[in-house]
Amino acid sequence: MHKIDTFKGLCNSINLKRLFFIAGFIVSSSNITIAQTYQPQTGVITDTTANKTKVTRTINQNFDNIYLQNARVASFGNEYGNPVPTSLVADLTGNFVLFSTPKSRFAFIFNPRVKLRLLNTPGAPVKSPSYMPGGTLYYRLNRNYYQPSFISVAYSHHSNGIRGPTLNPNGTFNTDSGKFTTNFYTLAYTHGKRVDHKNTISNRYESLGLELHAALIGLGYARALKDKYGFVRVNGSWMYNLSKAQPDAIKPDTRTFNNWMRLQIDFMYIMDTYNNYSFTDYKKRLNIGATYYYQFPFMQNVALMFGGGYRGQDDYNMSFQNSYTYITVGVAAGVSFGFHHQ
């Protein structure tokens, strides 16, 4: 058995006891057992010397599909509750698979991302879009794709593409034309479980990660954000996806299991020194939201969505000082919805 190493050596500006607690929570229940025999409906295949290479490649291929199922989806629609009313919002995320092969337990996906808000004000401007390109490296930890465990390491950049001064002359943040920039890294552990029923297939995934911004070592950020933004964060998510059996449109005597419904809950908590807010001030440190997705049989990789939540710190660049509850409605799309289980 192996155990994932805890995080060490973080910046002196944060409470080490808290970080050790978080790291221990991330790796808890992450013992890895190298299974030698798997049954077809439990994610395990007989691992003999004769077919060892084929078995390993089959496992790698199944994990590559699991990584895609956990990839971020793109969405557009509208949100209600924002202090600045909007007519349309979009979170445009792409997933470019740069490396994925049955010959390796690694996979790498490039994740370009842009967030847009069309403001419900005269002229309907799109003020300071959030540019958020990044990349994610995945590595499987076990061989059971019905109870998969894997880690991911991601790099992300967040800026608003503006060159103006971050602060106004009076010391307040320049939310109209001020520069916003931060770079960060995320290490996450994910565990899942798949259950096959007669007419449905369920997939459940829990993920917990630590997000560290380069500002901790004095790099890659707008200097005015220091002690005002939050450069150490705990991120987590829980996702339950349900696929439903449907007759094949070409061969009615056969069935495929297509995505049907999904519920996803995401949260974030700021851990370090942040604008003199106490560590327990969840109204300024906590972001949490839940989204429900529904796919009709004729939808391939698109789903209707409805959700809501609370943002203690807005994730839209220079709007980060805003805190509010919100409701969102719209349509989501992506490779995460494109699975058809045979």
Side-chain angles (χ1 to χ4, degrees), residues 82 88-89 116-119 125-127 311 314 316 324:
N82 196 303
L88 179 70
V89 300
L116 305 170
R117 289 179 180 174
L118 184 69
L119 303 185
V126 177
K127 296 293 292 183
R311 294 187 178 114
D314 200 344
Y316 195 74
Y324 57 93

Side-chain angles (χ1 to χ4, degrees), residues 127-173:
K127 296 293 292 183
S128 305
S130 283
Y131 300 97
M132 308 173 72
T136 306
L137 179 67
Y138 298 90
Y139 179 81
R140 69 169 176 85
L141 296 174
N142 66 358
R143 298 171 64 86
N144 188 344
Y145 50 83
Y146 270 68
Q147 296 186 32
S149 293
F150 61 90
I151 57 173
S152 60
V153 181
Y155 164 79
S156 301
H157 167 79
H158 187 181
S159 65
N160 61 356
I162 293 181
R163 299 176 61 183
T166 304
L167 296 177
N168 293 312
N170 62 0
T172 61
F173 280 96

Side-chain angles (χ1 to χ4, degrees), residues 93-274:
T93 303
N95 291 284
F96 295 83
V97 183
L98 299 185
F99 182 81
S100 177
T101 171
K103 296 181 180 181
S104 174
R105 66 170 63 193
F106 285 96
F108 181 79
I109 300 178
F110 175 56
N111 315 108
R113 183 184 180 194
V114 180
K115 297 193 69 174
L116 305 170
R117 289 179 180 174
L118 184 69
L119 303 185
N120 188 14
T121 57
V126 177
K127 296 293 292 183
S128 305
S130 283
Y131 300 97
M132 308 173 72
T136 306
L137 179 67
Y138 298 90
Y139 179 81
R140 69 169 176 85
L141 296 174
N142 66 358
R143 298 171 64 86
N144 188 344
Y145 50 83
Y146 270 68
Q147 296 186 32
S149 293
F150 61 90
I151 57 173
S152 60
V153 181
Y155 164 79
S156 301
H157 167 79
H158 187 181
S159 65
N160 61 356
I162 293 181
R163 299 176 61 183
T166 304
L167 296 177
N168 293 312
N170 62 0
T172 61
F173 280 96
N174 179 7
T175 59
D176 182 65
S177 60
K179 176 183 177 180
F180 176 92
T181 301
T182 183
N183 299 319
F184 57 95
Y185 301 85
T186 305
L187 174 62
Y189 168 75
T190 303
H191 179 74
K193 183 178 182 180
R194 169 176 166 172
V195 179
D196 291 358
H197 303 282
K198 181 179 179 180
N199 294 312
T200 59
I201 295 176
S202 65
N203 292 92
R204 190 191 75 230
Y205 299 99
E206 302 96 15
S207 180
L208 190 65
L210 186 63
E211 178 183 312
L212 301 174
H213 288 243
L216 293 171
I217 54 175
L219 299 175
Y221 74 107
R223 296 300 186 265
L225 298 179
K226 182 175 174 58
D227 297 330
K228 304 291 184 180
Y229 182 68
F231 296 125
V232 180
R233 302 163 180 241
V234 172
N235 299 319
S237 68
W238 179 89
M239 187 254 280
Y240 183 82
N241 191 86
L242 195 62
S243 300
K244 185 178 181 180
Q246 296 172 350
D248 187 90
I250 299 175
K251 299 178 180 180
D253 56 330
T254 63
R255 301 189 309 167
T256 59
F257 285 80
N258 303 326
N259 276 308
W260 179 28
M261 295 187 291
R262 173 180 297 184
L263 176 63
Q264 183 159 338
I265 300 172
D266 299 287
F267 77 89
M268 178 278 296
Y269 201 84
I270 297 173
M271 302 297 296
D272 62 331
T273 300
Y274 164 40

Side-chain angles (χ1 to χ4, degrees), residues 18-151:
R18 292 179 188 150
L19 292 177
F20 286 136
F21 171 77
I22 298 161
F25 186 44
I26 292 175
V27 300
S28 65
S29 302
S30 62
N31 293 339
I32 307 161
T33 301
I34 305 301
Q36 296 300 318
T37 57
Y38 288 106
Q39 302 304 319
Q41 294 302 313
T42 58
V44 191
I45 307 170
T46 303
D47 195 357
T48 63
T49 303
N51 69 350
K52 185 175 182 179
T53 298
K54 181 178 180 180
V55 168
T56 298
R57 291 185 179 183
T58 299
I59 293 169
N60 289 338
Q61 187 176 60
N62 278 282
F63 269 79
D64 288 341
N65 288 332
I66 290 169
Y67 303 149
L68 289 178
Q69 193 172 22
N70 283 271
R72 183 185 297 274
V73 300
S75 64
F76 73 90
N78 202 8
E79 290 184 352
Y80 303 93
N82 196 303
V84 181
T86 58
S87 299
L88 179 70
V89 300
D91 188 345
L92 307 178
T93 303
N95 291 284
F96 295 83
V97 183
L98 299 185
F99 182 81
S100 177
T101 171
K103 296 181 180 181
S104 174
R105 66 170 63 193
F106 285 96
F108 181 79
I109 300 178
F110 175 56
N111 315 108
R113 183 184 180 194
V114 180
K115 297 193 69 174
L116 305 170
R117 289 179 180 174
L118 184 69
L119 303 185
N120 188 14
T121 57
V126 177
K127 296 293 292 183
S128 305
S130 283
Y131 300 97
M132 308 173 72
T136 306
L137 179 67
Y138 298 90
Y139 179 81
R140 69 169 176 85
L141 296 174
N142 66 358
R143 298 171 64 86
N144 188 344
Y145 50 83
Y146 270 68
Q147 296 186 32
S149 293
F150 61 90
I151 57 173

